Every structure is written in C-alpha cells, then in structure tokens.
Amino acid sequence: MAVAFAAAPTLILLDEPFTGMNPEETRRMMQHVRRVRDEHGITVMLVEHDMQAVMGLCEQITVMNFGQRLTEGCPDEVRTDKRVIEAYLGREDDAA
C-alpha cells in the first residue's frame, strides 16, 4: 500500500487486504484504509470476503456470485437483500 500511496493516486484497488489477519490486525488495517480514504480523499476499491470488514468500511458494496453482479447498495441494503442471504447463507429448505 505504501508503494501505491507514494504515487499520489486518486484510486487504490486492494485485493483481499484482510486475508490472514487476526481481528486486531483487521481493525488496525481498517483504520488505516479509512484514514487514506478520509484524510487524503483517495477512493478505495476493495475485493474482500471478510464481511465484517466490508460492512464496517464500505459506503457502497457490489456483491458478486459466480462472476455475476448479484446486487449493489449501501451496507444496510446489501445485508438485508434476500438474494445475498440465499447465495451466501443458503435457503432454509436447503438445510433439510
């Protein structure tokens, strides 16, 4: 991230930045990403599977499922979208 930041970008793309981090490391990295975004006005686009980090950091989320855009919106919209719940948690009748 330091190398990218040195080039004075207007956008930074992060690919799975929280992978392998424990909760404290994730929290610190989230603070760092927020600081880059808020204090330096840099747009941050990230690809991430840590939903707690995504929901806590992102203002706009696009959910992909098998290479297709499933939905997009703010965290509250995405969190309650039935298609997202079904795709990532399964349907109730699937558990039977």
Side-chain angles (χ1 to χ4, degrees):
M1 214 167 142
V3 171
F5 193 65
T10 57
L11 177 131
I12 292 178
L13 174 60
L14 301 176
D15 186 13
E16 308 252 2
F18 306 109
T19 299
M21 293 185 176
N22 66 40
E24 176 59 23
E25 292 167 334
T26 297
R27 185 189 65 74
R28 287 196 327 253
M29 181 64 165
M30 286 174 66
Q31 288 175 335
H32 182 65
V33 171
R34 254 190 224 101
R35 193 169 37 256
V36 165
R37 179 191 70 195
D38 298 343
E39 293 178 13
H40 300 281
I42 297 173
T43 299
V44 178
M45 179 182 287
L46 64 95
V47 174
E48 183 57 61
H49 289 94
D50 182 330
M51 289 300 99
Q52 186 173 359
V54 169
M55 294 295 178
L57 188 60
C58 297
E59 297 169 347
Q60 188 73 17
I61 299 168
T62 299
V63 178
M64 303 292 292
N65 189 34
F66 293 105
Q68 300 294 315
R69 183 177 60 84
L70 189 60
T71 192
E72 58 186 291
C74 70
D76 286 338
E77 292 168 334
V78 169
R79 181 182 290 115
T80 59
D81 188 294
K82 290 179 183 179
R83 295 167 297 178
V84 173
I85 294 167
E86 184 175 315
Y88 286 92
L89 300 178
R91 296 182 309 239
E92 286 185 37
D93 57 331
D94 288 343

